[in-house]
Amino acid sequence: MRVLGIDPGLRNMGWGVIDADGSRMSHVANGVCHSVGQDLAARLLSLHEQLTDVVARFLPDHAAIEQTFVNKDGAGTLKLGQARGVALLVPAQAGLHIGEYAPNKVKKTVVGVGHAEKHQVEHMVKLQLPGVKIAGPDAADALAIAMCHAHYARAGAGYAEALKKAQA
């Protein structure tokens, strides 16, 4: 299974691609889409084009996206939500299965603690994907989101298989 993890952001949208085979995970690629343009529409379009290129280059089977948290700045939250819409749209256009995960669930899965710091997440990503060169904190988060999805998709597949056998 090839998983594209996406850390939504309007200025910087992190992405990371991993291959998962059972409990084994390996790094494929990671990076950051930087929005360009003066107005919101142009920035969203640039993110859409860059993320579409990532999907076309790496051909993932699944995508995983971090859920948005609401902060004190309502306007900032709305803009982040629009960037998250692009992050959901691109994999949906490619026909991918999309998982959504709360930030605390990602951190708990990868680090073991739901309120881990960014540097702890990056450290654990490097430990679990030896030799990875991470393009920045947003890319590290995206790889962690992909790893979280690989873990839960694997668990879900095992459950579905057991259910199928029980019904036979």
Side-chain angles (χ1 to χ4, degrees):
M1 165 176 47
R2 180 162 281 187
V3 181
L4 167 64
I6 304 170
D7 182 29
L10 183 57
R11 285 193 181 111
N12 302 310
M13 183 176 292
W15 60 270
V17 180
I18 64 167
D19 283 335
D21 183 15
S23 61
R24 304 184 87 165
M25 288 183 270
S26 59
H27 174 259
V28 175
N30 71 87
V32 179
C33 300
H34 302 284
S35 66
V36 293
Q38 295 299 314
D39 62 357
L40 180 61
R43 293 171 71 188
L44 293 171
L45 177 61
S46 75
L47 291 173
H48 181 274
E49 290 169 344
Q50 292 172 67
L51 197 55
T52 298
D53 180 59
V54 169
V55 170
R57 277 190 291 150
F58 298 105
L59 302 171
D61 305 305
H62 292 246
I65 299 170
E66 190 171 70
Q67 292 173 339
T68 304
F69 61 91
V70 177
N71 57 32
K72 294 175 187 169
D73 175 19
T77 301
L78 285 171
K79 288 178 182 176
L80 176 59
Q82 291 168 325
R84 191 171 178 278
V86 170
L88 287 164
L89 175 64
V90 171
Q93 285 178 318
L96 303 181
H97 174 271
I98 303 169
E100 297 181 66
Y101 301 94
N104 287 353
K105 187 168 192 165
V106 173
K107 292 173 183 176
K108 181 130 178 95
T109 302
V110 175
V111 180
V113 179
H115 294 286
E117 301 287 330
K118 273 197 174 282
H119 68 88
Q120 292 172 303
V121 172
E122 186 170 335
H123 177 72
M124 291 306 291
V125 167
K126 287 179 179 177
L127 282 177
Q128 295 178 51
L129 300 173
V132 66
K133 301 282 189 245
I134 299 175
D138 298 307
D141 288 350
L143 286 167
I145 295 161
M147 293 165 67
C148 178
H149 182 76
H151 173 78
Y152 285 102
R154 184 174 63 245
Y159 175 76
E161 194 62 36
L163 189 59
K164 190 186 293 183
K165 285 181 183 177
Q167 292 173 342

